[in-house]
């Protein structure tokens, strides 16, 4: 049974109206009724979809529904895990500002602060972690209180600014987790309250061996600074009973063995010191330190030949070590002591050939800048290259590597890196603002909003379908009318009138 032609649709848009009129005209062609029915069904479907575009993409029940904040949180967490902290912070801020009553708010608030922390924006992160603590009455925020306090302590240590930190300890409660006690111990250590730090580190027994090892290492350092060397050695030598399951665990164990070796060396227990250094494998990042200090142990024990061989191994096995200059000089003196003058001369010639040009370059820099203190020259270069730390633009790479081991230089580099990061963040923010202004003021500003871009794409798809339907109707008219050109022209005029 042939269906009747349907020409009504709910609130059709302008293109749909034109097609409805065309359908009415084509209804006079009974031999194509089935084709016209199919076109009519498609027109009605398009009209319904068009009417739903506004509520779906612009109303509160559509893209901005409860699922929107959850989906945005997932997007932000993905960027956070990929260490793209700038993008994650932008997404988290969107949730904080526009969805403060949503369940995702607490997660977004803490992760926004932590994104700033991971991006080394410590001052900004500090203010947002304080907000986490201030809003702890919110159940979604309150579960992050302890982690926020821990971060505030880490920031205080980094900035060397402990004002107001102790008042947050009450937020941690009486039963501190091992992680919280470790952070609290670090706070006391860097503040200079060694006994309070030791009390925290000594009580840490965690399921995570890495945390327990780090606490033990700090406890040994505290006891060393207190002059309680026997207790310190007892702590450090405990590391020998462990085998690092991860790279991080093994590095802490290596540090404990290094510390034990140094204490034994200072107390003239050279055999025990040598044994401690031998526990550090060639794959360790501290292998060069162990070789250099092991050579010093052998020199004290009178074994100059073995010491010289170890220093030779150091220069070959770790050629980029910061200990190379000292190791070469020490090896040259050992060769002289053992009567191997030709080899000693060769080593000293290598040192002169390698470091002579570097000394000339540094002297030239000092002369050009009319400064007598080479430290001031280096500090000036760091200041000039703060955004990239590219001191090698004026200083040779090897020289930067070696002077970077000095404590004052380390602090200068850390400060320069923090300031460089802050400058880079400001530049990125300004660049982002310029891009947003260009998009908003440009002809394609609609595309800057993903939701509206998707709505526009769907509207274009509907318009394309309507165009295809118009072509179908014109084909029906041509087949039905044939040579009746007068009738066809009449229909075309009617179509123009409808348009």
């Amino acid at each position: 049974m042939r269906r009747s032609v349907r020409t009504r649709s709910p609130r059709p848009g302008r293109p749909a109206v034109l097609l409805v009129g065309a359908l009415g005209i084509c209804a006079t062609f009974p031999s194509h009724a089935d084709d016209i029915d199919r076109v009519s069904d498609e027109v009605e479907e398009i009209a319904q979809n068009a009417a739903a575009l506004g509520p779906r993409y612009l109303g509160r029940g559509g893209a901005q529904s409860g699922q929107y904040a959850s989906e945005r949180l997932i997007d932000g967490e993905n960027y956070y895990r990929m260490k793209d902290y700038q993008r994650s912070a932008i997404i988290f801020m969107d949730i904080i500002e526009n969805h403060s009553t949503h369940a995702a708010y607490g997660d977004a608030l803490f992760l926004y602060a932590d994104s700033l922390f991971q991006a080394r924006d410590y001052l900004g992160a500090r203010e947002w972690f304080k907000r986490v603590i201030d809003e702890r009455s919110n159940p979604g925020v309150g579960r992050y209180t302890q982690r926020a306090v821990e971060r505030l302590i880490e920031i205080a240590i980094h900035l060397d600014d402990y004002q107001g930190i102790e008042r947050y300890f009450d937020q941690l409660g009486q039963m501190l987790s091992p992680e919280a006690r470790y952070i609290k111990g670090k706070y006391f250590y860097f503040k200079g309250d060694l006994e309070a730090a030791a009390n925290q580190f000594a009580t840490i027994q965690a399921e995570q061996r890495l945390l327990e090892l780090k606490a033990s290492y700090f406890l040994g350092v505290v006891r060393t600074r207190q002059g309680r060397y026997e207790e310190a050695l007892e702590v450090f030598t405990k590391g020998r009973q462990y085998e690092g399951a991860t790279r991080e665990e093994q590095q802490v164990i290596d540090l404990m063995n290094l510390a034990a070796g140094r204490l034994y060396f200072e107390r003239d227990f050279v055999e025990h010191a040598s044994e401690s250094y031998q526990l550090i494998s060639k794959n360790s990042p501290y292998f060069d330190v162990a070789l250099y200090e092991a050579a010093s142990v052998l020199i004290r024990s009178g074994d100059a030949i073995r010491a010289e061989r170890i220093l030779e191994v150091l220069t070959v096995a770790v050629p980029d070590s910061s200990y190379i200059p000292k190791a070469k000089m020490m090896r040259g003196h050992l060769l002289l002591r053992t009567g191997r003058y030709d080899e000693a001369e060769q080593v000293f010639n290598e040192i002169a050939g390698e470091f002579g040009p570097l000394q000339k370059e540094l002297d030239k820099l000092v002369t050009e800048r009319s400064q007598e203190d080479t430290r001031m020259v280096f500090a000036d270069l760091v200041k000039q290259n703060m955004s990239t730390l590219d001191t090698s633009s004026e200083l040779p790479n090897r020289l930067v590597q070696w002077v970077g081991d000095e404590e004052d230089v380390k602090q200068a580099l850390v400060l320069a890196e923090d300031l460089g990061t802050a400058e880079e963040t400001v530049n990125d923010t300004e660049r982002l603002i310029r891009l947003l202004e260009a998009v908003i003021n440009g002809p394609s500003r609609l595309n800057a909003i993903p939701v509206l871009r998707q709505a526009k794409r769907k509207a274009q798809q509907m318009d394309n379908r309507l165009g295809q339907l118009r072509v179908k109707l014109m084909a029906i008219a041509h087949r039905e009318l044939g040579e009746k050109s007068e009738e066809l022209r009449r229909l075309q005029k009617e179509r123009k009138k409808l348009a």
Side-chain angles (χ1 to χ4, degrees), residues 76 79-80 84-93 112 115:
Y79 283 122
Y80 177 85
D84 189 346
Y85 300 117
Q86 186 179 41
R87 291 191 180 185
S88 66
I90 292 173
I91 294 176
F92 294 140
M93 178 53 70
Y112 175 74
S115 294

Side-chain angles (χ1 to χ4, degrees), residues 56 59-71 99 102:
R56 179 178 179 183
R60 291 184 175 272
Q64 297 292 334
S65 64
Q67 294 298 320
Y68 174 77
S70 300
E71 291 171 357
H99 304 276
H102 194 275

Side-chain angles (χ1 to χ4, degrees), residues 310-485:
I310 287 180
L311 292 172
E312 184 180 13
V313 170
L314 170 58
T315 58
V316 174
V318 196
D320 58 345
S321 170
S322 59
Y323 285 85
I324 292 296
K326 298 177 182 178
K328 286 187 174 182
M329 286 295 297
M330 185 183 294
R331 181 170 176 249
H333 287 296
L334 289 174
L335 289 170
L336 283 176
R337 183 185 300 183
T338 56
R340 298 156 66 183
Y341 303 115
D342 291 340
E343 294 181 54
E345 182 181 6
Q346 182 180 352
V347 170
F348 287 131
N349 286 334
E350 288 178 2
I351 296 173
E354 184 173 3
F355 296 101
L358 296 180
Q359 181 65 50
K360 290 180 181 179
E361 288 188 48
L362 186 58
D363 290 341
K364 181 180 178 181
L365 285 172
V366 174
T367 302
E368 289 176 351
R369 296 169 183 270
S370 300
Q371 295 182 8
E372 298 179 357
D373 189 350
T374 55
R375 289 175 178 266
M376 294 300 296
V377 174
F378 182 78
D380 188 38
L381 293 176
V382 171
K383 182 179 179 181
Q384 291 183 9
N385 296 276
M386 203 167 282
S387 60
T388 61
L389 287 180
D390 187 18
T391 50
S392 58
S393 61
E394 292 195 61
L395 281 179
N397 290 332
R398 300 283 283 177
L399 184 57
V400 175
Q401 174 187 345
W402 293 322
V403 298
D405 259 356
E406 298 185 17
E407 192 61 34
D408 292 343
V409 176
K410 283 183 180 179
Q411 294 179 1
L413 289 175
V414 170
L415 177 60
E417 186 176 357
D418 289 346
L419 292 175
T421 301
E423 183 179 352
E424 183 179 351
T425 301
V426 171
N427 292 335
D428 287 342
T429 303
E430 292 178 347
R431 180 179 59 83
L432 183 60
I433 292 174
R434 289 194 296 269
L435 288 175
L436 288 173
E437 289 178 344
V439 171
I440 292 174
N441 297 327
S444 58
R445 55 183 176 271
L446 191 66
N447 293 327
I449 304 174
V451 172
L452 296 181
R453 183 170 66 244
Q454 186 177 2
K456 179 182 178 181
R457 184 166 59 250
K458 288 188 176 296
Q460 290 173 337
Q461 291 173 353
M462 294 179 193
D463 194 44
N464 291 336
R465 286 182 62 191
L466 290 173
Q468 293 170 359
L469 294 178
R470 284 195 291 268
V471 173
K472 286 183 180 180
L473 291 177
M474 291 302 298
I476 292 173
H478 277 284
R479 287 196 301 271
E480 183 68 25
L481 296 176
E483 298 298 327
K484 301 177 182 179
S485 56

Side-chain angles (χ1 to χ4, degrees), residues 52-174:
L53 275 180
R56 179 178 179 183
Y57 288 96
L58 300 179
R60 291 184 175 272
Q64 297 292 334
S65 64
Q67 294 298 320
Y68 174 77
S70 300
E71 291 171 357
R72 291 290 282 170
L73 180 64
I74 293 173
D75 291 340
E77 288 177 335
N78 288 335
Y79 283 122
Y80 177 85
R81 293 189 184 96
M82 292 188 295
K83 300 183 179 180
D84 189 346
Y85 300 117
Q86 186 179 41
R87 291 191 180 185
S88 66
I90 292 173
I91 294 176
F92 294 140
M93 178 53 70
D94 174 30
I95 299 174
I96 293 170
E97 290 187 341
N98 301 310
H99 304 276
S100 58
T101 59
H102 194 275
Y105 173 77
D107 299 313
L109 181 60
F110 175 80
L111 289 173
Y112 175 74
D114 210 49
S115 294
L116 297 180
F117 175 83
Q118 298 294 347
R120 303 176 67 89
D121 182 3
Y122 298 116
L123 295 177
R126 181 170 62 182
E127 297 306 312
W128 284 95
F129 282 126
K130 288 179 180 178
R131 177 168 169 177
V132 172
I133 295 173
D134 293 340
E135 298 185 21
R136 61 187 178 277
S137 59
N138 182 332
V141 179
R143 59 197 180 98
Y144 288 109
T145 300
Q146 177 176 309
R147 294 174 64 183
V149 172
E150 292 172 2
R151 285 297 198 217
L152 284 171
I153 295 173
E154 291 186 67
I155 292 172
I157 293 171
H158 185 88
L159 298 178
D160 195 22
D161 179 8
Y162 304 100
Q163 184 177 2
I165 290 296
E166 293 189 7
R167 66 188 177 92
Y168 292 118
F169 286 160
D170 294 337
Q171 308 299 331
L172 296 177
Q174 297 299 320

Side-chain angles (χ1 to χ4, degrees), residues 478-494:
H478 277 284
R479 287 196 301 271
E480 183 68 25
L481 296 176
E483 298 298 327
K484 301 177 182 179
S485 56
E486 289 295 332
E487 181 66 14
L488 185 58
R489 284 195 292 272
R490 186 187 66 79
L491 289 174
Q492 289 174 341
K493 289 181 180 180
E494 184 66 23

